[in-house]
Amino acid sequence: MDLAARMQSPKRAGCTSRGQPVWPLPKAIALLAWLTACTTTVVPPPSPTEPRPVFILDHGRHTSLVLPHPQGLVRYAYGDWQWYAEVETGPTEATSAVLWPTRAALGRRVMEAPPTAQGVRHALKVGIQHLHTICVPAADADALRSRLDAIFRANLATAKFNAAYDLEFVEHPEPYSACHNSNHVVAEWLQQMGSGVEGSAFWAAWEVEDSGCGEP
């Protein structure tokens, strides 16, 4: 598969073009079991201009992304508002988040640490299962950070800090759903920085084909 094909949006079986579920519940459960076993492969841009490291954080079920920041690092996450910002994680909230679009949240946290994998690990106050490093063009990383910061500033009136995730959340304009969850959104952010993404991106099961950082 060539790079252009790889850079298409991750396939979301059973979802509309707007990321909304369209399957009956029994099929949704069967599809969920299949999707959770799938791995999503990231293909960083080859030979990026002014390569800059970015970090994919696998938290087990969801994913967040860390970008370089003038003060060190900045971490972003996307998710269901009730689940992440309000910490309402009961069965009702879980069912709502899976079956139909809900209010979404954008999390952000600036960390004073060097832009290295070790720096990320030392700065984090939450657990991760895996940390993946890729290199992308510096201009693309800066552009993504600017877009996310603009969304954050535009919604500061809704700001809510959640110590459990060590993130400040604001409302995100794009609704959350099973077909537009934290992993899908991180995949979209990676694509916006020139990376290809292969797989459903439904679950936080990431592989990196090559870091793109010129390492052997």
Side-chain angles (χ1 to χ4, degrees), residues 32 61 80 82-83 87-100 102 176-178:
L32 177 63
R61 294 186 178 180
D80 174 75
Q82 282 187 292
W83 193 275
V87 201
E88 296 178 5
T89 57
T92 300
E93 290 77 18
T95 301
S96 297
V98 169
L99 293 182
W100 50 77
T102 59
Y176 176 93
S177 73

Side-chain angles (χ1 to χ4, degrees), residues 67 76 106 143-153 189:
L67 302 176
Y76 299 98
L106 174 67
L144 176 62
R145 191 184 73 230
S146 295
R147 287 194 293 272
L148 295 178
D149 285 350
I151 294 173
F152 196 86
R153 289 194 301 271
W189 293 344

Side-chain angles (χ1 to χ4, degrees), residues 27 50 131 209:
K27 289 185 178 180
E50 296 184 46
L131 185 155
E209 187 171 282

Side-chain angles (χ1 to χ4, degrees), residues 127-138:
I128 58 172
Q129 292 191 3
H130 303 284
L131 185 155
H132 304 279
T133 305
I134 66 170
C135 282
V136 303

